[in-house]
């Protein structure tokens, strides 16, 4: 498989939205969850303009994406305080490509971008099904945060970006 990773184009917002929903549906969540998640899974042109967004493509087809957003202020996630900084907001891959190294390639690209931007650490709110992925990346588990779905929580991680010149 010939994979390439590049910056997202604003015109790709609908494709990224479709990938968000398809990837989340892979885990067989109840339909009512998608109504709650509709806004956060919808990618607008403004979202792409305002954040760091990269896409993974195979043979010209976008098959996944990753996004980094800036937390403008300190943020409380349940009992966890996240200092202002940066957060991996989305990483979604079409179901037929899950488990094929696409996520790792997207993370590697994001880490390089973080080095360029002198970002030493990013926070991650992990879907329960992705915890193993972040554990393999050696992200530091910080604890659980309540989800926007009652009775559900998400894992919060911090991923250190190595070799960042903090001058």
């Amino acid at each position: 498989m010939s994979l390439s990773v590049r910056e997202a184009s604003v015109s790709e917002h609908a494709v990224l939205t479709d990938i968000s929903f398809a990837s989340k549906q892979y885990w067989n969540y109840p339909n009512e969850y998608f109504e709650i998640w509709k806004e956060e899974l919808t990618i607008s042109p403004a979202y792409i303009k305002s954040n760091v967004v990269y896409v993974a493509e195979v043979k010209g087809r976008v098959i996944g994406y990753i996004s980094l957003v800036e937390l403008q202020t300190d943020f409380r996630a349940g009992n966890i305080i996240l200092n202002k900084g940066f957060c991996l907001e989305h990483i979604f891959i079409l179901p037929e490509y899950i488990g094929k190294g696409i996520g790792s390639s997207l993370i590697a690209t994001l880490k390089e971008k973080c080095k360029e931007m002198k970002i030493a650490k990013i926070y991650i709110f992990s879907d329960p099904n992705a915890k193993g992925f972040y554990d393999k990346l050696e992200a530091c588990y910080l604890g659980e945060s309540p989800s926007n779905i009652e009775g559900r929580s998400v894992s919060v991680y911090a991923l250190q970006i190595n070799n960042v010149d903090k001058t």
Side-chain angles (χ1 to χ4, degrees), residues 124 133-142 157-160:
I124 302 165
F133 176 71
Y134 296 113
D135 290 338
K136 284 181 195 168
L137 291 174
E138 297 181 350
C140 178
Y141 175 74
L142 301 177
Y157 288 88
L159 181 63
Q160 292 299 132

Side-chain angles (χ1 to χ4, degrees), residues 95-138:
E96 61 266 33
Y97 292 95
I98 291 174
K100 298 185 187 294
I102 309 302
S104 296
S105 293
L106 286 167
I107 290 287
T109 299
L110 187 66
K111 282 179 157 184
E112 287 304 313
K113 182 65 174 177
C114 287
K115 288 175 190 176
E116 287 174 26
M117 297 173 65
K118 298 191 181 344
I119 299 169
K121 171 176 63 179
I122 57 175
Y123 295 108
I124 302 165
F125 290 85
S126 171
D127 183 280
N129 293 298
K131 287 174 68 172
F133 176 71
Y134 296 113
D135 290 338
K136 284 181 195 168
L137 291 174
E138 297 181 350

Side-chain angles (χ1 to χ4, degrees), residues 26-41:
Y26 175 81
W27 302 108
N28 295 315
Y29 285 117
N31 288 334
E32 56 269 18
Y33 284 17
F34 290 92
E35 200 51 47
I36 295 167
W37 289 331
K38 186 177 181 178
E39 189 175 313
E40 73 184 76
L41 295 177

Side-chain angles (χ1 to χ4, degrees), residues 74-85:
D74 290 354
F75 178 85
R76 182 180 213 57
N79 294 326
I80 305 163
I81 302 287
L82 304 179
N83 298 320
K84 88 179 194 175

Side-chain angles (χ1 to χ4, degrees), residues 41-102:
L41 295 177
T42 300
I43 304 301
S44 68
Y47 181 88
I48 295 170
K49 280 184 191 173
S50 302
N51 299 293
V52 174
V53 184
Y54 282 92
V55 297
E57 61 183 3
V58 172
K59 296 181 182 174
R61 178 184 181 210
V62 175
I63 60 161
Y65 77 97
I66 193 168
S67 66
L68 182 73
V69 299
E70 186 171 3
L71 301 173
Q72 299 290 335
T73 59
D74 290 354
F75 178 85
R76 182 180 213 57
N79 294 326
I80 305 163
I81 302 287
L82 304 179
N83 298 320
K84 88 179 194 175
F86 291 84
C87 181
L88 186 161
E89 185 162 57
H90 296 304
I91 181 169
F92 288 116
I93 298 157
L94 286 174
E96 61 266 33
Y97 292 95
I98 291 174
K100 298 185 187 294
I102 309 302

Side-chain angles (χ1 to χ4, degrees), residues 16-34:
L16 301 188
T17 297
D18 290 346
I19 291 170
S20 300
F21 280 90
S23 183
K24 210 67 157 157
Q25 288 166 341
Y26 175 81
W27 302 108
N28 295 315
Y29 285 117
N31 288 334
E32 56 269 18
Y33 284 17
F34 290 92

